[in-house]
Amino acid sequence: QVQFVESGGGLVQAGESLTLSCVVSGTTFSSAIVGWGRQAPGKQRDYVATIQGVDTKIYADPVKGRFNISRDNAKNTVFLQMNSLKPEDTAVYYCYLIIYFQSYWGQGTQVTVSS
């Protein structure tokens, strides 16, 4: 049973930074692809960032240059450092994991960016 503990969300002003963390249990974290997605009210869930291995990172266009994804395999944790936040970044952010061709999603953490 894969479980997630997501934290770090909150309310910030435009231009500020926020870092999300997601602690995963119930699977072999170091072998998994992990990442973050987000869903704003009335919109579909979009992929934000993915990290495979140590250095292979993929970002969605709206966050390129502003967000950084990283992982700490010793702590079974994936991070999302969000800089220069914009109101359009407001969404519920979800941690996800892919292993053995199966995907799993966390419960989400709310990020609200005021203008």
Side-chain angles (χ1 to χ4, degrees), residues 15 26 28 31 39 46 49 52 60 68 75-76 95:
T28 306
S31 300
Q39 186 170 26
D46 294 323
Q52 305 175 48
N68 180 54
K75 298 180 179 179
N76 282 19
C95 176

Side-chain angles (χ1 to χ4, degrees), residues 52-90:
Q52 305 175 48
V54 178
D55 299 319
T56 303
K57 302 176 180 181
I58 302 173
Y59 298 94
D61 286 339
V63 308
K64 286 182 179 177
R66 297 190 297 119
F67 289 14
N68 180 54
I69 187 170
S70 61
R71 67 193 297 169
D72 185 341
N73 287 338
K75 298 180 179 179
N76 282 19
T77 304
V78 58
F79 303 92
L80 184 67
Q81 182 183 5
M82 303 182 292
N83 302 309
S84 301
L85 283 163
K86 304 175 181 180
E88 48 264 47
D89 294 319
T90 296

